[in-house]
Amino acid sequence: MYSLLSEGYTASYSPSGEKDREVRLKTDEWVKAYEIPEMLKDSETMEAIRFYLRWKRMGMPYGPWGMNPNKLVEVVELLDPLDGFYHPRMI
């Protein structure tokens, strides 16, 4: 889902064309175009993505990573490489 958001898709996306049409993401995954709006309505996944975006701006909420719930650390560990793929950092 992070890939869909990074490529500009939203829950209000309205696919056109054939029902079987697939979209190729930059990560080389194929997604059915008509499934995109429904995929982006998954509230638990969107909460994780919102947390990740807040983490990028403000850091961990409870101080150093060891003081945070494991679930939050796992979200960062999972999404950070994908974010690096879509938004490369300049050194």
Side-chain angles (χ1 to χ4, degrees), residues 1-5 7 9-10 13 15-16 18-40 86:
M1 284 214 338
Y2 189 79
S3 296
L4 292 171
L5 293 171
E7 293 192 24
Y9 293 100
T10 64
Y13 170 70
S16 59
E18 302 172 19
K19 294 271 185 198
D20 295 346
R21 187 171 70 88
E22 293 186 337
V23 175
R24 182 178 181 201
L25 302 176
K26 292 178 184 176
T27 56
D28 206 26
E29 294 177 76
W30 291 88
V31 178
K32 291 195 181 288
Y34 277 84
E35 294 176 3
I36 292 174
E38 201 59 38
M39 290 170 70
L40 292 174
Y86 279 101

Side-chain angles (χ1 to χ4, degrees), residues 51 59-69 72:
F51 166 75
M60 285 293 192
Y62 304 112
W65 71 269
M67 298 179 74
N68 287 274
L72 300 181

